[in-house]
Amino acid sequence: MQKQITGNYTYEVFETANALNKADLDVLNAAKHSVLNAYAPYSGFNVGAAALLDDGTIVTGNNQENAAYPSGLCAERVAVFYASAQHPTKKVIAIAISATSKHQKINIPVPPCGACRQALAEYEIKFETPIRLIMSGEDGEVFISPSVSNLLPLLFSSKNLGK
Ligand code: THU
């Protein structure tokens, strides 16, 4: 072995959403509202996401499931793709996530899945600006990561394509 690379990651833990600052709480509330429009008849797990853009615009999305299961899409990607489709020049500066389930109370914060981390990281790289990730259940603790790449070491990017 020539050398070993070791990483590190960090996120803040807040006891409840009441402890958040107003800017974070506004995005989180938009995500919570968006949960109500999720289409998740197969999993019963309703997820809402809200993307805060650099001019204060908030774009929301929610998970959209499909009878052909892999054809569905997570809330975070619906939100960020919609944001990029509608506002391609506005930086994404924060994403909030919340969820409810018809099976149980969700009081553990919902982190973005691996595929969503990859999709979100693309916009961090595009805009050279970290995306603050605000992760919440329907109640209880809230986790905040200062960026997406913080939660995605050794990510595949345009650099790997030689771009
Ligand atoms: N899901 C999201 O929308 N975001 C996440 O961060 C985790 C999972 C969706 C995908 C699927 O519709 C349901 O939640 C159960 O996995």
Side-chain angles (χ1 to χ4, degrees):
M1 181 175 66
Q2 190 197 349
K3 59 179 174 176
Q4 183 168 2
I5 310 294
T6 304
N8 209 345
Y9 72 99
T10 182
Y11 60 91
E12 298 171 332
V13 178
F14 294 82
E15 207 177 328
T16 70
N18 296 330
L20 300 185
N21 67 40
K22 186 179 179 316
D24 289 342
L25 191 57
D26 285 351
V27 200
L28 180 55
N29 282 336
K32 284 182 184 283
H33 194 71
S34 188
V35 168
L36 303 173
N37 290 343
Y39 177 65
Y42 303 104
S43 70
F45 190 73
N46 297 284
V47 187
L52 173 67
L53 310 185
D54 63 355
D55 69 341
T57 303
I58 294 180
V59 172
T60 59
N62 31 58
N63 53 332
Q64 298 295 320
E65 295 187 348
N66 192 279
Y69 291 3
S71 301
L73 201 61
C74 292
E76 297 90 322
R77 274 176 283 169
V78 171
V80 83
F81 291 161
Y82 183 71
S84 184
Q86 298 295 320
H87 307 279
T89 61
K90 295 181 189 170
K91 292 179 182 164
V92 182
I93 58 176
I95 304 261
I97 307 162
S98 186
T100 64
S101 169
K102 74 172 189 208
H103 304 295
Q104 76 250 326
K105 186 146 194 218
I106 305 300
N107 43 26
I108 298 173
V110 175
C113 76
C116 285
R117 292 178 203 202
Q118 179 70 35
L120 298 174
E122 182 75 20
Y123 300 99
E124 247 178 28
I125 294 164
K126 174 183 175 188
F127 292 120
E128 296 178 341
T129 303
I131 299 174
R132 187 169 169 82
L133 259 188
I134 303 155
M135 298 164 271
S136 157
E138 58 186 293
D139 222 340
E141 288 184 335
V142 177
F143 297 164
I144 298 192
S145 167
S147 70
V148 176
S149 51
N150 164 54
L151 299 182
L152 190 61
L154 202 62
L155 88 168
F156 183 85
S157 74
S158 57
K159 262 197 287 187
N160 301 101
L161 296 172
K163 309 269 180 216

